Amino acid sequence: MASNLKFVEFICDQLKEAGNIRYKSMMGEYLVYVNNKYVIGICNDQVYLKITDKARLLLNKKIEKPMYDGAKPSFLINDI
């Protein structure tokens, strides 16, 4: 199931204070970039944050799950 573009735009709007935000459609799903760096994947209207050391410190005990079968794990963000 493809993600809803309105949801993607909502997420990007929430990030506007973080810098230059853009998104790219990839087979019905989306990648979100902050200052030209991949940060978030949106798949099936769920938000997946790229795992980094800093993100791990800030988001202790978050669910790690791949966006799709065969993908690297990301933090699944349920509380938008």
Side-chain angles (χ1 to χ4, degrees):
M1 174 172 108
S3 292
N4 183 318
L5 181 57
K6 294 282 186 197
F7 179 71
V8 174
E9 290 171 343
F10 169 77
I11 296 299
C12 290
D13 189 55
Q14 300 304 304
L15 295 169
K16 65 185 175 191
E17 300 290 323
N20 179 28
I21 308 300
R22 67 180 177 90
Y23 60 86
K24 182 177 182 181
S25 176
M26 299 290 286
M27 295 179 280
E29 305 303 348
Y30 295 86
L31 301 179
V32 178
Y33 297 83
V34 177
N35 297 329
N36 294 317
K37 291 186 180 185
Y38 165 71
V39 177
I40 291 174
I42 299 176
C43 185
N44 296 324
D45 289 333
Q46 293 185 305
V47 176
Y48 295 86
L49 178 68
K50 180 179 177 180
I51 295 176
T52 64
D53 291 337
K54 287 184 181 183
R56 192 176 298 283
L57 288 173
L58 291 171
L59 302 173
N60 193 18
K61 300 182 183 176
K62 283 291 182 185
I63 299 169
E64 291 186 29
K65 182 178 174 184
M67 276 188 355
Y68 54 87
D69 289 338
K72 290 181 181 180
S74 299
F75 288 124
L76 176 59
I77 308 297
N78 290 320
D79 48 350
I80 303 297

